[in-house]
Amino acid sequence: MITMNSHSNDIDYSNGYMEPEEEWEREGLLDPAWEKQQKKTFTAWCNSHLRKAGTAIENIEEDFRNGLKLMLLLEVISGETLPKPDRGKMRFHKIANVNKALDFIASKGVKLVSIGAEEIVDGNLKMTLGMIWTIILRFAIQDISVEEMTAKEGLLLWCQRKTAPYKNVNVQNFHLSFKDGLAFCALIHRHRPDLIDYHKLSKDNPLQNLNTAFDVAEKYLDIPRMLDPEDLINTPKPDERAIMTYVSCYYHAFQGAQQAETAANRICKVLKVNQENERLMEEYERLASDLLEWIRRTLPWLQSRQADNSLSGVQKRLEEYRTYRRKHKPPRVEQKAKLETNFNTLQTKLRLSNRPAYMPTEGKMVSDIANAWKGLEQSEKSFEDWLLSEMMRLERLEHLAQKFKAKADTHEDWTRGKEEMLQSSDFRQCKLNDLKALKKKHEAFESDLAAHQDRVEQIAAIAHELNSLEYHDSTSVNIRCQRICDQWDRLGSLTQKRRTDLDDAEKILEKIDILHLEFAKRAAPFNNWLDGTREDLVDMFIVHTVEEIQGLIDAHGQFKATLSDADKEYNSIIGLVKDVESTVQKYQIPGGLQNPYTTLTSSDLSKKWSEVKHLVPQRDTTLQAELRKQQNNEMLRRQFAEKSNQVGPWIERQMDAVTAIGMGLQGSLEDQLHQLKQYEQNVFAYKPHIEELEKIHQAVQEGMIFENRYTQYTMETLRVGWEQLLTSINRNVNEVENQILTRDSKGITQEQLNEFRASFNHFDKNRTGRLAPEEFKSCLVSIGYSIGKDRQGEIDFQRILAVVDPNSTGYVHFDAFLDFMTRESTDTDTAEQVIDSFRILAGDKPYILSDELRRELPPDQAEYCIQRMAPYKGVNAVPGALDYMSFSTALYGESDL
């Protein structure tokens, strides 16, 4: 088999063009129909060249046996002179001549296997046809190249492109695709439409089509008839070598039109680049608009501080915020990373295609998006801080409101009926002893009234604090507080008035029952102590640490230590009552059991004292439950700290490693890309740790835990670190891919790339991945770039800066530095080259027509040009003339976007 390598002239036996005899048999090349077609075609092809030397062959296996015409054929087709042939007629003379021909073929890089001079001299038809096919491949087909394809593929692609616009023609191979003759006719009509009226041809008349094509080719194109139409039609699968040989003659006959083909290829390449760049610009604009619009819609929600001033309302907003961070924001983080990646890829492609840098529409620069994103993150932080502070404030408010209600309820219970009692005129009908008793009773009431002064002041203080903290139901609190204060003022006035009335009455109180008086004096404060103690034992509390609850437990313990003294006081007071009972019983004093100095009874004190003793263990239970809760909170703090102290350093290590790879310090670009992909997989594999931490954090917040002394990390800092790590990996992957794209497209070696990277990193002291202008200048000088220290040198340097930093950011990134170091020495398309290509298609006219574009370019690209080219306004313009010069210039100018 014979193969032509695109990088050398060597031909070997590997791709089906020529093979040893056993391969021929396996592929059916001994088919008599194929052998007949090859013999006829190869004979005609040889004669088309031998006629230039005034000779010809009639029988291909006989006329080359002495080697003379074979050597002559090689001299004609190569233009070179072979060694002088041996003129003898002996067998060894013939073998020597054939060997000279075969040696010449081998000198052209063709490897001949199983073809020897003896087989040719003996008239072996298979070997002779194989040798001629080798010559045809080397001198007629090998140099055919279309879009970097060679030989058979290049010739097939040429046929496909030339016949693409023609109905009923679909060239897929060199056997069945040419049987009906329309492909041959299409090739002729495409280049010489004056020779054939293609529209009158029919697929149902292959014989007429083939004869038409062969006759026209022989008469007007000087291509001899190499195929028999009847053989092509009657053979199920015609020989592709015979057809390839004949088609190659068409290619060479029309090779004058290849200049237009080359021009069309260049234009197609440029237009594809422009179309792809515009697609990327539109995609960037769409993604940027969508992301910025989402941020615009989200910011008012994050910046809103409106709430119903209730704890449940704030907890609902906190849950909405958690949902936002877990579900709504992550897709936008990915969108932002994709946006930056697309922008960098677009800029790289624009630089590589010699286009100006892309400038997004106003407000959609990468910096604009970064600023908007930063504002979003700042709003998130302040929003979450506000929510937590609101929860603390509202929890305090709820506690104060309940405390206010409890104290107000107790006070109103105590004041119930007091005004009626103070307004009573009962003393006016009392006897002296009763009057004295009433006065003593009033004195006891005054003592009781003074004892309640603190509670009224506490109620007013709590109401004031609720107002200052903007309690949502402060109106009802204020109304109730005012009602209590007004009543308290009335009680004071009424008390004073009743005392005056009693003083104005007759002198009473001749004899006072010491026991009743003592009971009243000691029972009232003890009763107040009992009331206060009951309030303290049922008082609600808020703590946030184990230390705080332990303090309350210790205080409760100290209180319990005083209960024995209280018990003694209780027994002493009850003893006074018992003394009264024994005295009344002893002396049978009517109404003597009624204490005229107080409404308190021993049963009241006993009931309250029993209640206090019952509340003490309940308080113990409540405090111990809170202690367990705070211990559980402490455990949650430690769990969060332990996990975050693992996750935080891990994220920082990954960031450091990704940054090191991004600095180009670890192997080739492919190695760096592989490492970055591996890190990306590791990061996604690590995500369950973040999710676990989120669960712990939710438990921490639900436990109302607002500080953690065991770690410096917060959930917010870890979220931001995680997002920054993902963004850094995506950005570095994109940068390495762009560097590979630049390296491969510019043809630089890995050693050159390493040298550029080493120089760049040397001046990138802070490892930021970018250089300031002075650092960039020093980097250029270090690799031998000459920049003068005079005014002209500064002008040159500013010109370079405008190239590597088109957006005037004040920094030069490695991609731009690499592109600058390679672009000036690389052959790139220019506007002038595209103009020259269009001029060729237009036949040197200063304008081009729609039909010419449709004939030479693929349909989509032809329509692309027609829609965008302006009408030609120059001299000698014809209707429909298009201005390809301004169009070409615009391709390398600013985009419409």
Side-chain angles (χ1 to χ4, degrees):
M1 299 182 184
I2 300 175
T3 284
M4 291 179 293
N5 190 293
S6 61
H7 299 293
S8 72
N9 293 326
D10 291 348
I11 300 178
D12 57 31
Y13 295 85
S14 60
N15 78 345
Y17 290 168
M18 179 174 172
E19 56 285 299
E21 184 171 328
E22 62 271 14
E23 289 295 325
W24 296 3
E25 293 173 353
R26 182 174 61 80
E27 296 192 7
L29 294 181
L30 297 180
D31 187 319
W34 285 15
E35 185 177 276
K36 177 182 177 182
Q37 291 173 14
Q38 284 189 20
K39 182 175 179 181
K40 176 178 178 62
T41 302
F42 291 176
T43 299
W45 183 85
C46 291
N47 286 335
S48 71
H49 293 285
L50 288 173
R51 67 185 180 184
K52 301 174 184 176
T55 185
I57 61 171
E58 294 181 0
N59 192 330
I60 196 168
E61 70 266 33
E62 293 293 334
D63 294 350
F64 285 139
R65 291 178 64 181
N66 61 9
L68 296 178
K69 289 189 177 181
L70 180 59
M71 294 177 67
L72 180 60
L73 174 65
L74 291 172
E75 287 183 341
V76 171
I77 63 178
S78 68
E80 301 179 27
T81 302
L82 272 68
K84 187 176 181 180
D86 293 359
R87 290 299 179 182
K89 295 185 179 181
M90 302 296 291
R91 175 178 173 79
F92 71 87
H93 291 121
K94 298 178 181 179
I95 292 175
N97 289 336
V98 174
N99 273 326
K100 291 176 183 180
L102 296 178
D103 290 342
F104 178 77
I105 296 173
S107 71
K108 297 302 178 182
V110 179
K111 296 178 182 179
L112 300 173
V113 180
S114 299
I115 296 180
E118 291 80 358
E119 287 86 350
I120 305 302
V121 172
D122 291 341
N124 186 316
L125 178 60
K126 291 190 299 293
M127 291 300 176
T128 302
L129 292 175
M131 177 189 66
I132 297 302
W133 174 241
T134 300
I135 295 172
I136 293 171
L137 274 176
R138 174 60 184 84
F139 294 101
I141 298 177
Q142 178 177 331
D143 293 332
I144 296 174
S145 177
V146 179
E147 285 194 357
E148 301 181 359
M149 297 182 178
T150 58
K152 179 179 180 181
E153 292 81 3
L155 186 60
L156 185 63
L157 180 59
W158 177 80
C159 293
Q160 290 171 340
R161 284 191 169 180
K162 292 302 180 182
T163 60
Y166 291 88
K167 184 179 179 181
N168 295 326
V169 177
N170 183 19
V171 177
Q172 298 296 325
N173 49 57
F174 285 112
H175 36 77
L176 300 179
S177 297
F178 286 86
K179 281 191 67 173
D180 60 11
L182 289 179
F184 290 114
C185 293
L187 287 175
I188 297 174
H189 184 269
R190 180 62 184 268
H191 296 90
R192 290 292 302 277
D194 57 308
L195 299 180
I196 291 180
D197 187 351
Y198 183 84
H199 302 292
K200 292 184 177 182
L201 302 177
S202 172
K203 187 177 181 65
D204 298 330
N205 198 343
L207 183 61
Q208 179 182 340
N209 298 338
L210 290 168
N211 279 317
T212 298
F214 295 169
D215 291 343
V216 169
E218 187 170 38
K219 182 176 181 180
Y220 297 102
L221 304 178
D222 198 26
I223 300 175
R225 183 184 283 255
M226 299 182 183
L227 299 171
D228 190 318
E230 289 78 5
D231 288 345
L232 289 181
I233 294 173
N234 297 326
T235 303
K237 182 180 179 182
D239 179 59
E240 75 170 1
R241 294 180 180 176
I243 294 178
M244 278 181 66
T245 301
Y246 188 46
V247 171
S248 70
C249 295
Y250 280 71
Y251 178 88
H252 291 294
F254 298 132
Q255 65 181 353
Q258 293 311 302
Q259 188 178 22
E261 178 91 6
T262 301
N265 288 339
R266 178 181 291 275
I267 292 170
C268 290
K269 176 182 176 183
V270 170
L271 294 179
K272 285 180 181 179
V273 169
N274 233 56
Q275 290 170 313
E276 175 63 14
N277 290 342
E278 290 183 4
R279 185 191 67 78
L280 288 175
M281 292 176 192
E282 292 171 353
E283 175 72 5
Y284 175 86
E285 291 284 330
R286 183 185 64 77
L287 288 176
S289 298
D290 181 62
L291 181 59
L292 289 171
E293 175 61 20
W294 176 79
I295 293 174
R296 185 192 67 77
R297 294 195 311 269
T298 304
L299 280 177
W301 175 70
L302 292 174
Q303 294 168 350
S304 172
R305 297 297 182 265
Q306 297 296 322
D308 59 3
N309 215 15
S310 67
L311 186 61
S312 60
V314 174
Q315 288 173 337
K316 180 180 179 182
R317 294 202 67 178
L318 181 60
E319 185 59 35
E320 291 172 352
Y321 178 72
R322 291 195 189 107
T323 301
Y324 158 78
R325 287 307 304 258
R326 294 177 186 175
K327 296 183 180 179
H328 301 307
K329 188 182 178 186
R332 298 298 178 172
V333 174
E334 296 176 7
Q335 183 179 0
K336 177 174 176 288
K338 180 180 179 182
L339 193 66
E340 294 175 354
T341 298
N342 288 359
F343 182 84
N344 293 334
T345 300
L346 173 60
Q347 298 293 37
T348 298
K349 288 188 175 182
L350 289 172
R351 289 199 304 273
L352 295 178
S353 59
N354 201 24
R355 269 64 165 184
Y358 164 58
M359 292 294 292
T361 56
E362 183 177 357
K364 297 178 184 176
M365 295 286 291
V366 173
S367 59
D368 296 325
I369 294 170
N371 290 335
W373 191 262
K374 183 178 180 181
L376 178 74
E377 292 177 335
Q378 291 173 345
S379 296
E380 290 173 352
K381 179 64 171 62
S382 63
F383 184 61
E384 187 172 24
D385 291 344
W386 173 76
L387 285 173
L388 296 179
S389 65
E390 276 293 285
M391 287 183 66
M392 294 177 65
R393 184 181 71 84
L394 292 172
E395 184 185 32
R396 169 69 176 163
L397 279 176
E398 290 295 329
H399 167 69
L400 287 175
Q402 293 179 22
K403 191 171 184 179
F404 174 84
K405 181 179 183 301
K407 287 186 176 293
D409 288 345
T410 300
H411 177 77
E412 289 174 345
D413 286 342
W414 177 83
T415 61
R416 188 171 293 111
K418 293 295 189 295
E419 290 187 70
E420 292 77 5
M421 182 269 293
L422 291 173
Q423 293 172 336
S424 173
S425 300
D426 54 350
F427 63 91
R428 297 187 183 278
Q429 288 82 31
C430 288
K431 296 180 180 180
L432 182 61
N433 288 337
D434 294 334
L435 186 62
K436 291 179 179 180
L438 284 177
K439 190 170 182 180
K440 291 296 183 180
K441 182 179 180 181
H442 186 70
E443 289 176 354
F445 172 76
E446 288 179 324
S447 177
D448 198 10
L449 184 67
H452 281 78
Q453 177 71 29
D454 288 342
R455 181 178 289 113
V456 174
E457 292 175 352
Q458 290 175 7
I459 290 172
I462 294 173
H464 178 73
E465 188 172 0
L466 286 171
N467 277 282
S468 64
L469 294 178
E470 300 178 359
Y471 179 56
H472 69 94
D473 195 19
S474 58
T475 301
S476 62
V477 169
N478 291 336
I479 292 173
R480 190 174 189 185
C481 180
Q482 188 62 46
R483 184 171 66 244
I484 291 173
C485 291
D486 292 343
Q487 184 189 43
W488 184 254
D489 292 339
R490 291 195 303 274
L491 286 175
S493 299
L494 292 172
T495 300
Q496 184 63 35
K497 182 177 181 301
R498 184 171 178 84
R499 183 177 182 83
T500 301
D501 291 341
L502 289 174
D503 287 340
D504 292 340
E506 295 182 4
K507 293 182 179 180
I508 58 174
L509 307 173
E510 291 179 343
K511 185 177 181 179
I512 298 173
D513 188 339
I514 300 302
L515 292 175
H516 276 314
L517 182 59
E518 182 69 14
F519 175 85
K521 288 183 178 179
R522 294 174 64 180
F526 187 71
N527 178 68
N528 285 328
W529 177 85
L530 287 174
D531 288 340
T533 299
R534 285 190 303 168
E535 289 181 12
D536 291 341
L537 289 175
V538 298
D539 188 25
M540 291 163 288
F541 54 86
I542 296 178
V543 294
H544 296 98
T545 65
V546 173
E547 290 77 7
E548 292 177 357
I549 187 60
Q550 190 61 53
L552 292 179
I553 292 174
D554 293 343
H556 185 61
Q558 293 173 4
F559 162 75
K560 289 192 293 183
T562 67
L563 289 178
S564 61
D565 294 336
D567 188 59
K568 292 178 182 179
E569 177 67 8
Y570 167 74
N571 290 327
S572 178
I573 294 174
I574 295 301
L576 294 174
V577 176
K578 290 180 179 179
D579 288 344
V580 169
E581 290 175 348
S582 63
T583 301
V584 168
Q585 183 177 5
K586 181 178 180 180
Y587 297 103
Q588 295 296 312
I589 301 174
L593 294 178
Q594 296 297 321
N595 193 323
Y597 306 115
T598 180
T599 59
L600 289 173
T601 66
S602 61
S603 62
D604 293 333
L605 296 180
S606 297
K607 180 180 178 181
K608 291 183 180 181
W609 177 244
S610 176
E611 185 177 350
V612 166
K613 291 192 293 184
H614 179 70
L615 289 174
V616 169
Q618 288 185 355
R619 185 70 167 184
D620 285 329
T621 302
T622 302
L623 291 173
Q624 290 300 319
E626 182 63 27
L627 176 61
R628 289 192 295 274
K629 174 185 175 184
Q630 292 304 323
Q631 289 173 340
N632 181 66
N633 287 352
E634 190 72 3
M635 179 189 69
L636 287 175
R637 289 188 183 95
R638 294 180 183 275
Q639 284 182 349
F640 181 82
E642 180 181 2
K643 192 65 179 179
S644 63
N645 289 338
Q646 295 174 3
V647 173
W650 185 88
I651 291 176
E652 292 165 0
R653 290 195 300 273
Q654 303 307 301
M655 284 291 293
D656 293 341
V658 171
T659 301
I661 295 173
M663 296 304 296
L665 303 175
Q666 302 182 13
S668 66
L669 290 176
E670 284 74 11
D671 294 336
Q672 296 171 31
L673 185 60
H674 175 73
Q675 293 178 41
L676 287 171
K677 295 289 188 181
Q678 188 64 45
Y679 272 107
E680 186 176 31
Q681 294 178 4
N682 294 342
V683 168
F684 283 117
Y686 199 75
K687 190 173 183 182
H689 295 281
I690 298 294
E691 295 173 346
E692 180 184 354
L693 201 55
E694 286 282 6
K695 293 179 181 178
I696 299 174
H697 177 63
Q698 180 174 349
V700 166
Q701 286 195 330
E702 290 173 350
M704 305 296 288
I705 303 172
F706 302 108
E707 54 82 30
N708 193 338
R709 62 181 178 274
Y710 301 113
T711 180
Q712 63 177 334
Y713 299 102
T714 66
M715 196 64 235
E716 179 61 26
T717 60
L718 293 175
R719 290 177 188 140
V720 172
W722 180 259
E723 294 169 358
Q724 289 176 345
L725 177 58
L726 291 175
T727 301
S728 178
I729 290 175
N730 287 331
R731 184 182 298 114
N732 279 282
V733 167
N734 178 245
E735 289 177 355
V736 172
E737 289 175 342
N738 287 340
Q739 291 173 26
I740 292 174
L741 181 61
T742 302
R743 181 197 65 189
D744 295 344
S745 64
K746 298 298 185 178
I748 63 174
T749 65
Q750 186 64 43
E751 290 73 15
Q752 290 175 306
L753 184 63
N754 291 341
E755 179 185 356
F756 294 152
R757 172 55 83 178
S759 299
F760 187 90
N761 288 347
H762 176 74
F763 291 97
D764 183 13
K765 303 295 185 184
N766 297 327
R767 295 296 183 261
T768 60
R770 60 188 188 183
L771 299 180
E774 289 304 317
E775 293 172 333
F776 174 59
K777 180 186 290 186
S778 300
C779 182
L780 290 179
V781 173
S782 72
I783 57 177
Y785 201 93
S786 177
I787 299 178
K789 296 183 178 181
D790 54 5
R791 182 173 179 273
Q792 184 59 44
E794 182 61 25
I795 293 174
D796 293 340
F797 181 64
Q798 292 302 321
R799 175 185 59 80
I800 296 173
L801 273 182
V803 173
V804 297
D805 184 19
N807 295 327
S808 299
T809 63
Y811 293 99
V812 179
H813 293 267
F814 181 71
D815 288 350
F817 167 72
L818 175 63
D819 181 60
F820 172 76
M821 294 306 299
T822 57
R823 67 186 299 180
E824 295 187 355
S825 59
T826 305
D827 181 24
T828 58
D829 291 319
T830 64
E832 291 75 14
Q833 291 175 324
V834 176
I835 290 174
D836 290 341
S837 298
F838 274 118
R839 184 179 290 111
I840 292 172
L841 299 185
D844 288 332
K845 299 190 300 294
Y847 57 84
I848 194 167
L849 301 176
S850 300
D851 290 343
E852 293 171 332
L853 288 170
R854 290 191 176 99
R855 184 177 67 242
E856 300 296 341
L857 299 179
D860 62 327
Q861 295 189 345
E863 296 305 320
Y864 179 85
C865 294
I866 293 169
Q867 293 174 7
R868 293 173 179 244
M869 282 186 181
Y872 177 72
K873 303 296 185 181
V875 181
N876 299 326
V878 300
L882 300 174
D883 186 352
Y884 60 79
M885 294 185 184
S886 62
F887 172 78
S888 300
T889 302
L891 288 177
Y892 292 86
E894 293 294 337
S895 168
D896 292 341
L897 284 176

